[in-house]
Amino acid sequence: MATLVNTAIATSTDVPNINLRAMYNGESTQPVPSSRKQMRDSKYRHVFATHSVGRNSCLSQDAEKTPNFVGFRNLMVLVLIVSNLRLMIENFRKYGVLICIHCHDYRRQDVVYGLLLYLLVPCHLFVAFIIELAAAQQARGALARMKKAGDDHDTPTKQAQARRSFNSTWRIVAFLHGINATFNLMIATTVVYYHIHHPGIGTLCELHAVIVWLKVCSYAFTNRDLRHALLNPNNSQPLPEIYQSCPYPKNINWRNLCYFWWAPTLVYQPVYPRTTHIRWAFVFRHLLEVVGLSIVIWIASAQYAAPLLQNSLDKIFTLDFVSIAERVMKLSTISLFCWLCGFFAIFQSFLNALAEMMRFADREFYGDWWNVSSIRTYWTTWNKPVTNFMRRHIYSPLVGRGCPPALAQIIVFLISGALHELLVGVPTHNVLGVAFAGMMFQIPLIALTDALQKMKGIRGKMAGNMIFWISFCLVGQPLAALLYFFAWQAKYGSVSKEWQERGSLGMMLLRRR
């Protein structure tokens, strides 16, 4: 027997990864790496060590590396396509074609007032320019008086007097800017609420007014600090290096203002990073995407969202909460689809096309908000223009003046909630406070998802991402759409007629009694 084993050991040169002599003597063996060809040609194919090292399942938390989910992504896309095709077939069989190019419910008055607002709202930017032009002239005069005082013996006293005289003027400038910005929102909101019936036209007009309002505020705040830096060169912090090519007050001119008017940003700077030339093919491609996605949103809204909303009215009217929950879940798919198309059309296609035409180089209009693990991160990444405005003109000044950061964040959400309510409640002629309450509800969600990041033993990031998707896209948007649509129908549509019929029936019964 020993002879046979020794013979096998001596002749088994084609199995380099197995030490048969050590196996026979009871010694520990370690597999020696070998190529697949050597293993395939090996005479002993049933003895190589399949389980040689400790390993974890690739989906477990202890996995050495995160697995690739490309296959699951492809499956998800396939399931979405098939399920939506089924819904499309079911929708067409049930309702037929609901899309009608000639059918609309806007009035001539809506178009007239909408055009007037589009032309008149930017005038508030030019009013702000006139105010800043007068302030810049006052600043030049104050600076000249300070330089003249520098040649006299009583320099500190005269310089202080010059600064005090300008500070009183600055208060007047700030008051005029406040009146101008306030009238901008008040006039537009009043016209949209009382004179523009169509919610789509009203939303565009109100959105335009809010954008101009934010630009006016940024223009006033930024130039205020630039004036302060001009009159206090020894006490102020150094200004950004990019501003040196257009120092204050040289930036107060029509060309500079018009560029800021059309630039895809809400934050005013005297100078922006610029590209060298315009790629017109790039512009046309992105504008084509805007047109195509707008048509897709219109078709999805008219063919799929409108019947769902209409069929939900009786459930809300009778407070059938189970059916309402079912409608919210059914509406979540189409609302998410329309929202994603709208996001891509505005932030990726339209803003990039506008930035290219304006040669605006900083095009970080959004971050990877779809991967966020906390609600806080979402609100700082999905809409960078608004985030930059809030951080620069509200949050940072409040914290710099001693306001606690948590309170400053609440103030930011209060202002953002008010603007959201203006953008949704005013065009639909129903200021319900739902959009405002939705923004305020983000504060406890931020606290919850922030706490999840610090917990041990659970995957806080995954839980936070799931909370974001559920609260925002699967519950928040569909529920808000249902409530505002119901309020619209209660005021102008079928629900209002049903209430009137029930009221008339009740009056008839009372008369018979």
Side-chain angles (χ1 to χ4, degrees):
M1 185 66 182
T3 305
L4 291 175
V5 173
N6 292 332
T7 304
I9 294 173
T11 58
S12 60
T13 58
D14 56 344
V15 192
N17 65 320
I18 302 176
N19 191 338
L20 294 180
R21 187 185 299 277
M23 289 173 57
Y24 178 75
N25 294 332
E27 300 174 3
S28 61
T29 60
Q30 294 294 335
V32 180
S34 62
S35 65
R36 289 183 178 269
K37 182 177 184 303
Q38 288 175 326
M39 186 60 65
R40 187 177 65 250
D41 297 338
S42 172
K43 188 175 183 179
Y44 301 97
R45 299 175 182 173
H46 304 284
V47 297
F48 68 87
T50 301
H51 309 287
S52 57
V53 295
R55 291 170 292 188
N56 297 308
S57 299
C58 63
L59 293 178
S60 65
Q61 298 183 9
D62 301 327
E64 288 79 8
K65 61 179 181 178
T66 303
N68 193 332
F69 293 101
V70 173
F72 279 112
R73 183 199 64 187
N74 296 337
L75 175 63
M76 180 180 66
V77 172
L78 180 63
V79 170
L80 284 174
I81 292 174
V82 173
S83 60
N84 281 283
L85 282 175
R86 183 192 66 80
L87 291 175
M88 290 170 63
I89 296 172
E90 180 182 348
N91 180 277
F92 282 121
R93 292 180 62 183
K94 189 174 182 179
Y95 302 107
V97 178
L98 299 177
I99 302 169
C100 179
I101 299 177
H102 302 287
C103 303
H104 59 78
D105 59 348
Y106 63 82
R107 309 165 183 174
R108 182 179 180 182
Q109 174 180 307
D110 298 342
V111 178
V112 171
Y113 277 103
L115 290 175
L116 285 175
L117 281 181
Y118 180 79
L119 296 174
L120 294 178
V121 163
C123 293
H124 293 276
L125 264 176
F126 296 103
V127 172
F129 168 75
I130 298 300
I131 297 172
E132 282 301 324
L133 192 63
Q137 293 177 353
Q138 180 69 18
R140 290 191 186 97
L143 186 63
R145 289 192 298 271
M146 289 171 60
K147 289 182 178 179
K148 184 179 179 181
D151 299 331
D152 299 334
H153 298 289
D154 197 10
T155 301
T157 303
K158 291 188 177 182
Q159 285 184 347
Q161 290 177 353
R163 288 194 181 95
R164 281 196 298 269
S165 65
F166 183 77
N167 287 337
S168 62
T169 305
W170 182 87
R171 293 186 184 92
I172 299 175
V173 171
F175 176 77
L176 294 176
H177 275 306
I179 293 295
N180 178 46
T182 303
F183 269 106
N184 171 34
L185 271 188
M186 286 181 59
I187 294 173
T189 300
T190 302
V191 172
V192 170
Y193 191 84
Y194 290 104
H195 301 287
I196 297 181
H197 174 75
H198 194 273
I201 298 176
T203 300
L204 292 177
C205 294
E206 192 69 20
L207 178 62
H208 186 211
V210 169
I211 290 174
V212 172
W213 181 76
L214 294 173
K215 283 180 177 280
V216 167
C217 293
S218 182
Y219 191 74
F221 286 139
T222 303
N223 282 304
R224 181 265 179 197
D225 282 359
L226 292 175
R227 285 197 305 273
H228 187 275
L230 177 69
L231 297 175
N232 299 271
N234 298 325
N235 300 327
S236 62
Q237 297 179 353
L239 295 175
E241 190 174 335
I242 192 175
Y243 295 178
Q244 294 180 2
S245 60
C246 187
Y248 184 87
K250 291 183 179 180
N251 62 304
I252 309 299
N253 59 73
W254 285 102
R255 183 176 181 181
N256 188 276
L257 176 74
C258 290
Y259 184 86
F260 174 57
W261 176 20
W262 286 98
T265 179
L266 301 174
V267 172
Y268 174 72
Q269 292 182 190
V271 183
Y272 296 98
R274 304 283 297 274
T275 57
T276 56
H277 62 283
I278 300 175
R279 298 170 295 174
W280 289 108
F282 180 92
V283 174
F284 293 140
R285 186 177 78 247
H286 281 76
L287 290 179
L288 186 63
E289 291 173 357
V290 173
V291 174
L293 288 170
S294 300
I295 295 174
V296 168
I297 294 172
W298 171 62
I299 293 175
S301 301
Q303 184 68 39
Y304 303 106
L308 281 175
L309 290 169
Q310 194 68 39
N311 294 336
S312 305
L313 294 176
D314 58 335
K315 312 300 181 185
I316 301 177
F317 192 81
T318 58
L319 295 180
D320 187 350
F321 293 107
V322 176
S323 299
I324 291 174
E326 183 268 338
R327 290 294 172 182
V328 167
M329 288 186 286
K330 195 172 183 179
L331 188 61
S332 62
T333 303
I334 191 65
S335 66
L336 177 60
F337 173 79
C338 292
W339 185 84
L340 289 175
C341 289
F343 168 82
F344 195 91
I346 295 174
F347 289 91
Q348 174 62 26
S349 300
F350 176 73
L351 289 183
N352 269 286
L354 182 60
E356 186 69 24
M357 288 188 289
M358 301 299 295
R359 293 173 47 210
F360 190 85
D362 187 4
R363 303 178 185 183
E364 191 183 21
F365 303 118
Y366 59 90
D368 57 341
W369 54 266
W370 47 87
N371 291 326
V372 299
S373 57
S374 69
I375 304 298
R376 181 194 306 275
T377 308
Y378 166 75
W379 287 110
T380 57
T381 54
W382 93 274
N383 188 342
K384 287 293 185 71
V386 174
T387 298
N388 294 335
F389 178 91
M390 294 294 180
R391 181 187 294 116
R392 189 184 196 224
H393 297 304
I394 298 176
Y395 180 80
S396 293
L398 287 174
V399 174
R401 286 170 172 79
C403 181
L407 179 58
Q409 292 173 4
I410 293 175
I411 294 174
V412 167
F413 273 96
L414 284 170
I415 297 174
S416 180
L419 293 178
H420 276 77
E421 189 63 38
L422 283 178
L423 290 172
V424 181
V426 172
T428 57
H429 311 282
N430 288 287
V431 184
L432 305 177
V434 174
F436 180 81
M439 288 300 300
M440 293 299 100
F441 187 66
Q442 304 301 309
I443 297 175
L445 285 179
I446 288 174
L448 174 62
T449 52
D450 285 350
L452 285 175
Q453 310 304 308
K454 302 175 183 178
M455 288 186 178
K456 297 181 179 180
I458 62 173
R459 304 192 71 172
K461 292 185 176 181
M462 179 181 293
N465 187 256
M466 293 300 295
I467 290 173
F468 154 68
W469 282 113
I470 292 173
S471 63
F472 184 74
C473 295
L474 301 182
V475 177
Q477 289 192 38
L479 184 59
L482 276 179
L483 293 176
Y484 279 104
F485 184 78
F486 181 80
W488 174 270
Q489 292 294 330
K491 195 169 185 178
Y492 301 106
S494 59
V495 177
S496 177
K497 296 178 181 178
E498 186 173 352
W499 277 344
Q500 292 175 3
E501 292 174 358
R502 291 191 179 188
S504 301
L505 181 61
M507 291 298 295
M508 291 175 60
L509 292 175
L510 287 174
R511 288 175 182 175
R512 288 179 181 179
R513 291 178 183 177

